[in-house]
Amino acid sequence: MIRNTAAQMAAKLASGETTSVALTQAHLDRINSVEDKVHAFLFVDGKGALEQAASVDAKRAKGEKLSPLAGVPLALKDVLAQKDKPTTCGSKILEGWLPSYDSTVVANLKKNDIVILGKTNMDEFAMGSSTENSAYGPTHNPWDLSRIPGGSGGGSSAALASFEAPLAIGTDTGGSIRQPAAVTGTVGVKPTYGGVSRYGLVAFSSSLDQAGPCARTVLDTALLHEAIAGYDPKDATSINAPVPLVVQAAKDGNVKGMKIGVVKELNGDGYQPGVRARFDEALELLAKAGAEIVEVSAPNFEYALAAYYLIAPSEASSNLARFDAMRYGLRVGDVDGASAEAVMNLTREVGFGKEVKRRIILGTYALSSGYYDAYYGSAQKVRTLITQDFTKAFTKADVLVSPTCPTTAFKIGEKANDPLAMYLNDIATIPVNMAGIGGMSLPAGLADEDGLPVGFQIMSPVMKDERMYSVGASLEAALLSKWGAPLLDRAPTLEASK
Amino acid sequence: MSSLSRDEVAKLAGLARIEMSEEELVSLSKEFTVILDAVARVQEVASADVAPTSHPLSLRNVFRPDVVVPSLSPEQALSGAPAQEEQRFRVPQILGEE
């Protein structure tokens, strides 16, 4: 049952073939048996999940009208506040903190009766591409436990790929939903900026952060997208417009007559041969399905990474100032006579990990007088140029595509001491965040040289999120008929080795 | 080539309110030489005629109606406080003794 899609689980719940309690228990059992290998979760809320499941079952027994995913379990990235449940962002500075309110994403999940299994591991404050920056230890890629599951949302992607949960929530500032999806053979969507409320999402880089849905199929992702999206007065940057018709698009999966633009700059040198081979194959399948493949150029994308590593740290240096040991979270050094400033300094030394400190210092530098124009100011101009590249490209194509990442999953520890090499992993995902448009990653197959999953990225214009679901569903169907079975059937089963 | 000395890193760490060991200051200073070289590339295309973008949405002054809605109780607001006293956050000394 746990290997079903979320849509199949929902159908079984609706028909009475199973109950949410049974389904939730099956996932808790799975978590119990594989979690020592995967470490996708920072907190498993068995009791809370079963209570929520029982309440959904009771509503169903009474004949109440329920939402499409009611009773299906989900794994929640630990960057979203959930009332009275630990929310650490993978950081020691928030260890033990229990939010007194729900983020809007969590409120929407509860409203849709989606059962929350627990909180998933992540790079501290979502800064990283490997989940190695978590203060609570790394998560392991279910395809090869010695490799990273991507980041920052590696806990969510690993939970999906190891069948610990059929649905998950991620957040994506520079690729933290799409890159983990790519390296674990799962699906992840960064909606249009403003499409899903950021209220209660612990801020890293406010102009780039976006929560989104993760699952194992395009349709499941669309169903979750619809459940969490929509205007929220509590988020001043929330878009007040109808949610794009993503579920319908995922069901139709129609690309006939669509123009698909291949971004010339997001391919070639630095991309692993197996990544390029699967990407080219996917293009052929889309052409066969009736899409027209065109080439587009985005000359300023090569500056996106540099601009990102100025803008995101700058915003982070400001956002993370709130962790000051005064109102919540860790407090260190509060001895008689110690000044507030000394307590802040000591708390932030102990509470933040290496990468977070690195980015706060970088952001502080980029924003400091004398350097502001040269760094932060220039990065903001690059952001304009990237947005213009997208605008121009979208006059020639309905969606744009590229490999999600230049390589497959690397080994844990391989890039831990080389920040720049780590940052390069996000080269193809970052432009999307800079322009605030939508992006999806879905599995394109395995690279021949290492047998690891490869991600295919689809980018759609602002609030045209349905387009990536049309293309994603079409490609998924073509690949599935080619493979004969879902890609994840080829992943190790992780059964207890006794 | 851009670089940051150990002392410059120490100054930034002070501004950011992060205590740092000597070892951390030195290693960050080394890393920043590489990182700053990489990010300085933005200057190649950031000419004067390009307008900066601070945000993907062109929003201005977003307001909501000023209506009273339920909010956190004092107990909830203080629930995460490292220390509290008389329904207030208790914080270390902010002003000097003299």
Side-chain angles (χ1 to χ4, degrees), chain A residues 258-339:
Chain A
M258 266 181 105
K259 277 191 184 165
I260 295 177
V262 179
V263 183
K264 199 171 74 178
E265 287 79 6
L266 298 181
N267 209 333
D269 281 354
Y271 289 77
Q272 197 178 313
V275 169
R276 296 171 66 174
R278 293 291 86 82
F279 179 71
D280 292 343
E281 221 170 70
L283 289 181
E284 279 171 37
L285 291 173
L286 286 168
K288 220 183 272 177
E292 184 189 342
I293 312 293
V294 298
E295 190 183 77
V296 300
S297 176
N300 294 296
F301 279 17
E302 68 167 293
Y303 301 99
L305 191 73
Y308 177 85
Y309 279 99
L310 289 165
I311 291 170
S314 294
E315 293 189 15
S317 72
S318 166
N319 272 325
L320 271 60
R322 68 178 52 121
F323 302 106
D324 58 6
M326 297 299 130
R327 292 149 300 152
Y328 60 110
L330 187 69
R331 180 183 285 184
V332 175
D334 189 6
V335 293
D336 244 5
S339 71

Side-chain angles (χ1 to χ4, degrees), chain A residues 9-10 25 33 66 70 90 149 168-169 179 193-194 203 224 240 258 267 274 358 377 381 431:
Chain A
M9 292 177 196
Q25 188 59 55
S33 75
L66 297 172
I169 296 291
Q179 181 256 10
Y193 181 87
L224 183 57
N240 194 352
M258 266 181 105
N267 209 333
R358 191 184 278 134
K381 289 180 173 183

Side-chain angles (χ1 to χ4, degrees), chain A residues 217-271:
Chain A
T217 70
V218 173
L219 177 60
D220 289 356
T221 310
L223 290 165
L224 183 57
H225 187 138
E226 197 173 69
I228 60 171
Y231 175 63
D232 177 17
K234 288 177 182 162
D235 173 2
T237 59
S238 170
I239 293 177
N240 194 352
V243 177
L245 298 173
V246 294
V247 172
Q248 197 53 51
K251 282 181 177 162
D252 294 346
N254 185 1
V255 292
K256 279 199 184 71
M258 266 181 105
K259 277 191 184 165
I260 295 177
V262 179
V263 183
K264 199 171 74 178
E265 287 79 6
L266 298 181
N267 209 333
D269 281 354
Y271 289 77

